């Protein structure tokens, strides 16, 4: 079973939940500013569960992500889960953060705030799709045909809620939301497990090809066009004799 997890770029967002913060770039878990030690596997596991929330990840998905192409004992995953729970002071019988779905896998169940998104909510990238450009803001960007999506693409192969793009500093994760026609990264169909990527990858929502750029400001967005024009006017005034 493929995990569809390809760490082409490390995300750099910081997530806050309860007394904890977790920085995806450094993979540091802090409790009230004090570092909580986690092994590399435990850091990776916590990141996977936070990014996939609220969806539960199956044991097979987690095994494939943590130990790709390697056979390990079934108790290894349970040991990593217990390590994360100890660091979080969590109780499996009354979980605040790591919930067990018996016979399936695990899910992150705490309330999470993306600190980078909450702090700025600024346009961080551009989604280029069918000769149109859509601004992507730091944090989560919902793609689909529904009017409440952050990126509305009215195409026959796009589902109402098709996929979720989460933008970090210079990279992003993307996951499919059980769309009818699928989400593809570099030609490979992905699932609900987040795929880490950079702006060099090719994306498709069903048959609709797309790409992401972290430098261009979208020229089809009226709000941003007005902002650019105001900046130009200020620049002309400051340069006038």
């Amino acid at each position: 079973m493929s995990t569809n997890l390809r760490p082409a770029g490390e995300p750099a967002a910081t997530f806050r939940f309860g007394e904890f913060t977790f920085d995806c770039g450094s993979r540091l878990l802090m409790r009230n500013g004090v570092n909580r030690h986690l092994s590399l596997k435990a850091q990776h596991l916590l990141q996977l569960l936070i990014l996939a929330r609220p969806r539960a990840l199956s044991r097979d998905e987690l095994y494939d992500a943590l130990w790709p192409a390697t056979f390990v004992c079934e108790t290894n995953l349970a040991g990593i889960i217990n390590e994360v729970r100890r660091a979080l002071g969590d109780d499996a019988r009354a979980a605040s953060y790591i919930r067990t779905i018996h016979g399936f896998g695990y899910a992150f169940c705490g309330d999470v705030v993306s600190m980078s998104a909450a702090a700025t909510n600024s346009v961080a990238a551009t989604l280029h799709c069918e000769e149109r450009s859509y601004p992507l803001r730091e944090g989560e960007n919902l793609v689909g045909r529904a009017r409440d999506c952050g990126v509305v693409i009215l195409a026959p192969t796009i589902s109402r809620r098709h996929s979720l793009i989460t933008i970090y500093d210079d990279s992003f994760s993307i996951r499919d939301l059980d769309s009818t026609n699928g989400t593809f990264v570099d030609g490979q169909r992905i699932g609900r497990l987040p795929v880490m990527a950079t702006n060099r990858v090719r994306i498709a929502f069903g048959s609709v090809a797309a790409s992401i750029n972290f430098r261009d400001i979208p020229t089809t967005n009226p709000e941003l066009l007005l902002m650019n024009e105001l900046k130009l006017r200020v620049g002309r005034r400051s340069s006038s004799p």
Side-chain angles (χ1 to χ4, degrees):
M1 179 179 180
S2 173
T3 63
N4 295 319
L5 184 67
R6 297 173 298 128
E10 283 295 320
T14 299
F15 295 100
R16 183 175 67 242
F17 45 96
E19 300 174 331
F20 297 93
T21 59
F22 182 72
D23 184 281
C24 285
S26 63
R27 289 188 176 176
L28 279 177
L29 175 67
M30 310 285 285
R31 182 176 186 177
N32 293 327
V34 179
N35 182 34
R36 304 287 288 179
H37 175 74
L38 288 175
S39 66
L40 291 177
K41 293 294 185 187
Q43 294 166 14
H44 192 183
L45 172 65
L46 180 57
Q47 178 174 307
L48 287 171
L49 292 174
I50 290 175
L51 290 175
R53 71 190 194 284
R55 179 195 171 229
L57 297 181
S58 70
R59 289 185 176 85
D60 285 342
E61 288 175 307
L62 291 170
Y63 274 113
D64 285 349
L66 296 170
W67 297 279
T70 303
F71 176 80
V72 295
C73 179
E74 290 186 4
T75 58
N76 284 29
L77 178 59
I80 301 298
I81 289 288
N82 288 334
E83 180 185 348
V84 174
R85 280 179 169 151
R86 284 194 300 270
L88 297 176
D90 206 15
D91 186 345
R93 291 169 295 183
S96 297
Y97 299 114
I98 309 297
R99 181 168 61 93
T100 300
I101 294 85
H102 295 287
F104 182 77
Y106 303 92
F108 195 91
C109 57
D111 293 329
V112 180
V113 175
S114 173
M115 295 175 67
S116 61
T120 62
N121 198 31
S122 61
V123 175
T126 306
L127 176 70
H128 300 285
C129 181
E130 290 194 330
E131 300 182 353
R132 291 195 61 185
S133 298
Y134 303 87
L136 297 176
R137 302 185 182 277
E138 289 193 24
E140 297 180 342
N141 298 264
L142 186 61
V143 180
R145 289 189 294 106
R147 292 186 179 275
D148 61 346
C149 291
V151 177
V152 179
I153 303 176
L154 300 177
T157 61
I158 303 290
S159 296
R160 284 181 53 78
R161 288 173 175 76
H162 196 101
S163 62
L164 184 69
I165 299 173
T166 305
I167 296 292
Y168 308 98
D169 286 349
D170 58 355
S171 59
F172 67 95
S173 70
I174 180 171
R175 60 187 178 102
D176 188 72
L177 299 178
D178 296 329
S179 64
T180 301
N181 296 296
T183 302
F184 301 82
V185 174
D186 281 342
Q188 181 181 6
R189 185 165 185 166
I190 66 173
R192 291 184 64 98
L193 189 65
V195 172
M196 310 300 179
T198 65
N199 59 350
R200 292 184 294 272
V201 301
R202 295 174 292 110
I203 304 169
F205 307 108
S207 62
V208 179
S211 63
I212 289 180
N213 191 290
F214 285 86
R215 296 173 180 83
D216 292 345
I217 295 176
T219 57
T220 58
N221 182 275
E223 179 184 355
L224 292 176
L225 283 172
L226 178 59
M227 291 172 59
N228 287 341
E229 178 61 25
L230 290 174
K231 289 178 181 178
L232 287 173
R233 291 177 184 177
V234 171
R236 293 191 194 106
R237 290 196 198 102
S238 60
S239 61
S240 298

